[in-house]
Amino acid sequence: QERLVESGGGLVQPGGSLRLSCKSSAITFDYMAYAWFRQAPGKEREGVSCITGTDGRTYYADSVKGRFTISRDNDKNTVYLQMNSVIFEDAAVYYCATPGPICDLDVSHYQPESWGQGTQVTVSS
């Protein structure tokens, strides 16, 4: 089973920035798409962003478009989520997972074992 380790979360002020990291143990990392999801207390887990492995196409939820940027470093088997201009609604535990080679931001298509341990993002003034 692939091991995924999320990191980089912490406390950030509204309007501030934070960069999350997701490191994978998979030898097939370069060929796979990776997605970021988040879950706030009392809310459903929602798709945030995804990047493909074949051509690096990126996808974003409307709620983060223009503020967040997903990227990857295949030499480090790591996916990043740069969060800029954060707002209170961005506060959540952020998770990463791979849907396979094609991007998918529908949480119902992911198995429970897909996720890493998550990293907490707190937004406070």
Side-chain angles (χ1 to χ4, degrees), residues 7-21 36-38 46 48-49 60 63-71 80-95 119-123:
S7 63
L11 178 65
V12 61
Q13 294 183 343
S17 297
L18 206 62
R19 189 178 78 158
L20 309 183
S21 299
W36 285 98
F37 286 74
R38 67 187 182 186
E46 62 176 349
V48 176
S49 185
Y60 299 92
S63 59
V64 307
K65 195 170 299 180
R67 300 187 298 114
F68 291 8
T69 303
I70 191 170
S71 62
Y80 303 97
L81 185 68
Q82 179 67 45
M83 306 169 58
N84 295 330
S85 302
V86 300
I87 59 178
F88 290 121
E89 289 77 8
D90 296 326
V93 178
Y94 283 72
Y95 302 89
T119 186
Q120 175 75 55
V121 173
T122 302
V123 183

Side-chain angles (χ1 to χ4, degrees), residues 48-52 57-61 70 103 105:
V48 176
S49 185
C50 187
I51 184 168
T52 66
R57 291 181 182 268
T58 58
Y59 303 85
Y60 299 92
I70 191 170
C103 270
L105 288 177

